[in-house]
Amino acid sequence: MSDTIFITGVVIHARHGVMEHETEVGQRFVIDLELSADLSEASRTDHLSDTVSYASVVATATAAFKNTNYKLLERAAGAVSDAIFATFPRIHTVKVTVHKPHAPIAAIFEDVGVVLTRKRPSP
């Protein structure tokens, strides 16, 4: 199945990082999501119950990202992926991109981040 739901540019203020000031003050992160699911029924019925609510996905991802302070972006992205799988059984694959545009790096750069792609674990 090649059906995809995408949500890009979700801005979240959170306190992730290795440096002490990152966990105290926090900073702006941007999350992009790509979700693979079978959307064939929704494409025929036009019923929300046959797809995944975008608003619910954003709420779930935001809560998973903000509710715990992680040192690594990799873990924060993993938490988002885990929460989406736990909440939305229709989703088969999750791609989570976390941008940290204000990372404390001694260089001039536009963006830094991680991309995790996870498939639903087999039962």
Side-chain angles (χ1 to χ4, degrees):
M1 188 63 35
S2 62
D3 301 336
T4 303
I5 294 170
F6 67 91
I7 302 167
T8 60
V10 178
V11 178
I12 301 172
H13 185 272
R15 302 178 193 289
H16 306 308
V18 176
M19 311 288 279
E20 187 176 328
H21 71 277
E22 292 179 290
T23 60
E24 289 177 9
V25 176
Q27 62 190 287
R28 176 180 172 261
F29 295 86
V30 181
I31 297 178
D32 302 327
L33 302 167
E34 284 187 31
L35 314 169
S36 296
D38 183 353
L39 303 177
S40 56
E41 190 67 18
S43 70
R44 285 191 297 278
T45 66
D46 198 29
H47 295 147
L48 180 60
S49 61
D50 293 328
T51 190
V52 176
S53 164
Y54 313 153
S56 296
V57 169
V58 169
T60 298
T62 299
F65 193 80
K66 285 182 73 166
N67 288 347
T68 303
N69 296 351
Y70 299 107
K71 292 179 182 168
L72 302 179
L73 289 184
E74 293 83 348
R75 181 61 197 116
V80 170
S81 176
D82 294 345
I84 289 172
F85 282 135
T87 308
F88 305 99
R90 291 182 186 272
I91 295 174
H92 305 292
T93 306
V94 175
K95 179 178 177 184
V96 181
T97 304
V98 178
H99 306 264
K100 188 175 181 180
H102 304 291
I105 299 172
I108 297 171
F109 65 95
E110 197 168 308
D111 197 8
V112 65
V114 299
V115 179
L116 295 184
T117 303
R118 299 290 182 261
K119 292 186 179 192
R120 178 176 292 283
S122 299

